Amino acid sequence: MNRREFVQSIAAAVMVPAGRRQELSANEWGSSVFDLHFHLRAQTASNLAHLDGAGVTKANLLTRGAALEQVQALQAAAPGRFTWFNSYDVTKSDAENILTQAVKAGAQGFGELKFHVAADGPELRRIYALAADLRVPILIHFQEVDHFPDEGTWSTGFAKTFESVLKGYPKTTFIGHADAFWANVSADYRNEAAYPTGPIKRGGLTDKWLGDYPNLFADMSANSGNNAMSRDSEFTADFLTRHQDKLLFGSDCACVDGHGAGVSQNNNPAAARMAGKCVARETLSLMKRSSSPAIFQKIVWGNVHKLLRIPA
Ligand SMILES: [Zn+2]
Ligand SMILES: [Zn+2]
């Protein structure tokens, strides 16, 4: 395809009225769907290909550093379908300034924050305070077990220290994500595996904190969220009911077409169970069969609109 044909193909895709696309999406899942955890892709068309392929109506673009031009181009190509978060190296001295500028330019939150620092360390603490000042949520990747040799850990100390953060920053809205966050739905987890299997031992920290702290929400994306919700169907049904106002659907899927082509979980051999699958489709199907239509609708659509204070 040459450049002119490419531009024409984009124009043709944009010609489909947004209302019509939302109708199609609603038909497939029984509800419109918002993907909270969608990493911005380089080409406008590849972003839309994943949303349309997976039956997703709207998505929140996770960006890092300078991304405003790309975000605006995508928002112009598909009006009303994209919100965005911004992230920036929290170890750099200009992090607060850069993130503040992003919010002033329209970013609705910080994320994903994924750095080799402690969850209760000074680098992240100043960002927690800034998120409260700017009244935006902050999405954090918690991981204590490498996916490949020497990967290193991210926002470490979740189980040991994060409750003190939740208490210390009551005005900050936290959205938890990734391996350590989801493995700790089970009370017997001790950082022994990225994705523990088998029945859930009731009373896990993540489950407890979602109940105890109004400022904690959960991002259900990636193999971590899907794995946790696949372990114990009785637990899952109770968990979705118990935290129906705190759970937010997300995919973190990197597949090409919203049907599992390409690689769905990058750099992550431990997530082989998702090979050839679209994480968005897998998790939507799993939640649909594990909850009532009303609860499903809150998790995939209603909750995130309330949290970001945007019209549904
Ligand atoms: Zn992540
Ligand atoms: Zn996918």
Side-chain angles (χ1 to χ4, degrees):
M1 196 186 292
N2 66 30
R3 186 175 155 76
R4 197 167 58 92
E5 286 163 347
F6 177 73
V7 170
Q8 280 169 350
S9 74
I10 300 288
V14 174
M15 289 300 284
V16 181
R20 170 85 181 127
R21 274 198 305 261
Q22 292 185 11
E23 217 175 88
L24 292 172
S25 307
N27 287 345
E28 175 160 13
W29 297 110
S31 165
S32 299
V33 172
F34 187 113
D35 183 348
L36 175 76
H37 198 122
F38 185 81
H39 289 280
L40 174 64
R41 302 176 181 201
Q43 305 299 328
T44 297
S46 23
N47 289 284
L48 293 173
H50 193 272
L51 267 66
D52 292 341
V56 169
T57 318
K58 296 188 197 173
N60 184 47
L61 303 166
L62 303 183
T63 70
R64 188 179 284 200
L68 184 59
E69 254 179 56
Q70 233 184 310
V71 168
Q72 287 176 338
L74 190 47
Q75 286 176 327
R81 293 188 82 184
F82 294 100
T83 56
W84 63 294
F85 281 11
N86 192 236
S87 176
Y88 187 79
D89 189 342
V90 296
T91 66
K92 297 261 163 64
S93 60
D94 58 347
E96 288 155 285
N97 183 30
I98 298 275
L99 289 170
T100 301
Q101 293 311 317
V103 170
K104 285 187 175 161
Q108 277 98 338
F110 297 160
E112 77 180 282
L113 277 289
K114 181 177 180 180
F115 299 98
H116 298 298
V117 295
D120 70 339
E123 302 90 349
L124 278 171
R125 281 184 177 275
R126 64 196 179 123
I127 309 300
Y128 300 156
L130 181 65
D133 285 348
L134 296 174
R135 296 181 68 224
V136 292
I138 179 167
L139 197 169
I140 306 167
H141 179 113
F142 297 101
Q143 182 184 330
E144 312 275 353
V145 180
D146 288 6
H147 292 164
F148 52 87
D150 304 321
E151 179 186 8
T153 52
W154 311 91
S155 317
T156 49
F158 176 75
K160 287 201 172 110
T161 65
F162 201 63
E163 185 169 24
S164 72
V165 171
L166 291 167
K167 279 189 182 142
Y169 297 86
K171 289 188 173 151
T172 303
T173 299
F174 295 95
I175 306 174
H177 150 75
D179 308 12
F181 183 82
W182 284 109
N184 279 293
V185 292
S186 193
D188 53 5
Y189 184 60
R190 299 291 177 267
N191 295 342
E192 63 276 11
Y195 307 115
T197 54
I200 304 269
K201 182 157 189 246
R202 306 301 192 265
L205 291 174
T206 297
D207 195 354
K208 188 171 181 309
W209 295 345
L210 281 168
D212 289 350
Y213 295 94
N215 57 334
L216 179 64
F217 292 77
D219 164 354
M220 313 197 69
S221 71
N223 185 55
S224 53
N226 185 289
N227 181 68
M229 296 294 102
S230 299
R231 293 174 60 179
D232 183 332
S233 58
E234 196 184 313
F235 170 83
T236 299
D238 290 347
F239 181 87
L240 297 181
T241 304
R242 188 158 59 243
H243 302 303
Q244 59 183 277
D245 297 312
K246 302 299 257 342
L247 307 177
L248 308 159
F249 167 72
S251 75
D252 201 4
C253 187
C255 92
V256 172
D257 58 355
H259 290 276
V263 177
S264 60
Q265 297 281 269
N266 279 327
N267 294 326
N268 192 351
R273 59 191 285 279
M274 284 295 163
K277 296 175 178 169
C278 173
V279 186
R281 287 190 165 276
E282 293 302 308
T283 298
L284 286 166
S285 304
L286 171 61
M287 288 196 293
K288 202 166 164 61
R289 67 175 180 264
S290 310
S291 62
S292 69
I295 291 177
F296 179 76
Q297 201 270 349
K298 280 186 178 182
I299 296 172
V300 306
W301 187 252
N303 292 345
V304 71
H305 288 84
K306 268 190 207 159
L307 188 77
L308 300 181
R309 299 187 299 271
I310 53 172

